[in-house]
Amino acid sequence: MTDKVKFKRAAVIGVGLIGSSLARALRERGLVDEIVGVDRDADVIARAQKLGVIDSGETDLAKGVKGADLIVISTPVGAIGAVAAELGEAAEDGALIIDVGSVKGVAVEAAKAMPERVHFVPCHPVAGTEQSGPEAGFASLFRDRWCILTPAPREDEVYKSAVEKAAALWTAVGARPEIMDAGHHDLALAVTSHLPHLIAFTLVGAADDVESVAQGEVVKYSAGGFRDFTRIAASDPIMWRDVFLTNKDAVLEVLGRFSEELAVMQRAIRWGDGKALEDAFTRVRGLRKAIVEAGQESAAPNFGRDDKGQH
Ligand code: NAP
């Protein structure tokens, strides 16, 4: 498997949490001889180089991808279209291009517009944290996590083998690749990731308004549940702005369903309908059990934190 995915030169565009994690994992597994970091921010490049994540860096994309047989687009989703368009000109013939964006419709559109001499396979590693920047990355981030591949509609054998190569790359860094239609991906992730983030951003924002009245009590008693929402709400504002702008239809669809369910809860509370509340809460507990059984979460109480709140 490793033979299949050995690269000479990888160019990582956007050396943040995900880009630097993949760079670390590629290096740790010996999958690449040389890594070039490409970022619009020279300071990010300098920091990544100091950390030993990349061998060299470039702020100019065309120069950075010269000679690269693997190109990773790990910018916020809103930049993928423009970056891919530039790569259509600048990437070497036969280069494998992958992205890591959280919304896939936009990446597949960009992949469709690429010339056939390069092979863009849209990918989404379902792994991350609320932190950003090269310091936040770590090589084991993708271990035992799903990575969803949403290939472009290209039937030629060269592209098919590029998809296989991308899947092998994710396997080699410890992830479990799965092929999916981009529309299906965007709807599924709207439910499992985008809506929860929207709720967390909104809830923490509302509590922040209340905090001026509560005089410190929101922070003081945050372990009552609020704290867990603040972790999600601490996520990168640019990344999440782009997710909602590019996955608008799917998010609005699941948000509509959520609002209806919320109205049902509101009604049950108003009318003192204890049975409706108990039934609803009992039904959703089972889902938590299924997530733990699928190995996607720890079964330990309080998310496995010790008494100081550390993992
Ligand atoms: P991040 O830590 O903020 O890193 C993104 C980097 O890309 C930043 O250094 C940013 O520079 C740079 N950048 C932005 N536009 C660029 C451009 N046009 N050319 C070159 N560099 C550019 O973000 P991240 O969390 O790694 O997220 C990267 C991608 O991974 C996003 O598409 C996101 O949807 C996806 N993803 C994230 C997670 C997660 O949990 N965070 C999980 C799975 C997938 P500036 O700071 O100057 O803008």
Side-chain angles (χ1 to χ4, degrees):
M1 183 67 78
T2 303
D3 287 353
K4 246 173 130 183
V5 285
K6 180 82 184 158
F7 300 95
K8 284 194 176 65
R9 190 174 156 102
V12 176
I13 306 170
V15 197
L17 167 72
I18 304 294
S20 78
S21 294
L22 190 54
R24 284 172 168 98
L26 289 170
R27 201 194 291 285
E28 191 185 272
R29 304 287 171 114
L31 305 176
V32 64
D33 292 337
E34 188 193 349
I35 304 177
V36 186
V38 182
D39 203 288
R40 58 182 187 181
D41 187 345
D43 181 54
V44 168
I45 291 173
R47 279 154 46 207
Q49 215 166 346
K50 204 166 160 210
L51 289 162
V53 170
I54 54 173
D55 297 299
S56 58
E58 254 303 336
T59 49
D60 183 285
L61 186 130
K63 283 188 193 156
V65 301
K66 218 169 169 14
D69 50 353
L70 171 67
I71 300 173
V72 179
I73 308 175
S74 38
T75 65
V77 176
I80 293 174
V83 167
E86 231 182 306
L87 289 177
E89 299 281 317
E92 301 285 351
D93 285 353
L96 172 65
I97 303 171
I98 59 172
D99 78 314
V100 295
S102 308
V103 180
K104 297 277 46 98
V106 67
V108 168
E109 285 311 309
K112 277 174 20 190
M114 295 295 260
E116 287 203 358
R117 60 176 198 83
V118 293
H119 316 299
F120 181 3
V121 182
C123 304
H124 177 205
V126 187
T129 75
E130 67 282 12
Q131 291 170 348
S132 347
E135 293 79 7
F138 52 99
S140 60
L141 178 65
F142 310 107
R143 200 175 297 155
D144 294 329
R145 297 283 166 242
W146 292 105
C147 182
I148 302 170
L149 278 61
T150 61
R154 255 177 77 175
E155 294 300 326
D156 55 293
E157 290 306 316
V158 188
Y159 188 70
K160 281 185 188 162
S161 73
V163 174
E164 276 172 27
K165 204 168 173 182
L169 180 158
W170 288 108
T171 304
V173 297
R176 300 182 216 156
E178 188 157 270
I179 306 265
M180 200 182 277
D181 167 75
H184 189 74
H185 167 279
D186 289 353
L187 186 58
L189 270 291
V191 176
T192 60
S193 172
H194 308 169
L195 182 66
H197 276 80
L198 191 66
I199 292 169
F201 288 130
T202 312
L203 181 79
V204 174
D208 194 39
D209 291 344
V210 174
E211 178 68 341
S212 55
V213 185
Q215 296 174 343
E217 284 169 345
V218 171
V219 172
K220 187 172 166 190
Y221 302 124
S222 63
F226 181 69
R227 181 180 68 180
D228 297 324
F229 283 93
T230 62
R231 184 191 69 74
I232 299 176
S235 300
D236 190 71
I238 306 293
M239 171 190 157
W240 285 99
R241 175 200 69 190
D242 285 4
V243 166
F244 293 115
L245 291 178
T246 53
N247 201 21
K248 178 176 159 181
D249 293 345
V251 170
L252 290 178
E253 164 69 23
V254 296
L255 189 58
R257 289 174 190 232
F258 174 75
S259 305
E260 285 172 22
E261 292 296 323
L262 198 60
V264 169
M265 293 290 185
Q266 191 175 13
R267 191 180 157 80
I269 294 168
R270 185 180 307 286
W271 295 101
D273 188 347
K275 183 166 183 333
L277 292 172
E278 192 183 329
D279 286 353
F281 300 157
T282 306
R283 185 165 57 89
V284 297
R285 262 190 126 180
L287 198 54
R288 167 88 191 154
K289 201 163 162 256
I291 290 169
V292 170
E293 279 169 7
Q296 298 297 304
E297 173 62 295
S298 157
N302 199 20
F303 302 101
R305 287 193 184 99
D306 63 20
D307 56 4
K308 293 186 186 65
Q310 306 293 312
H311 282 276

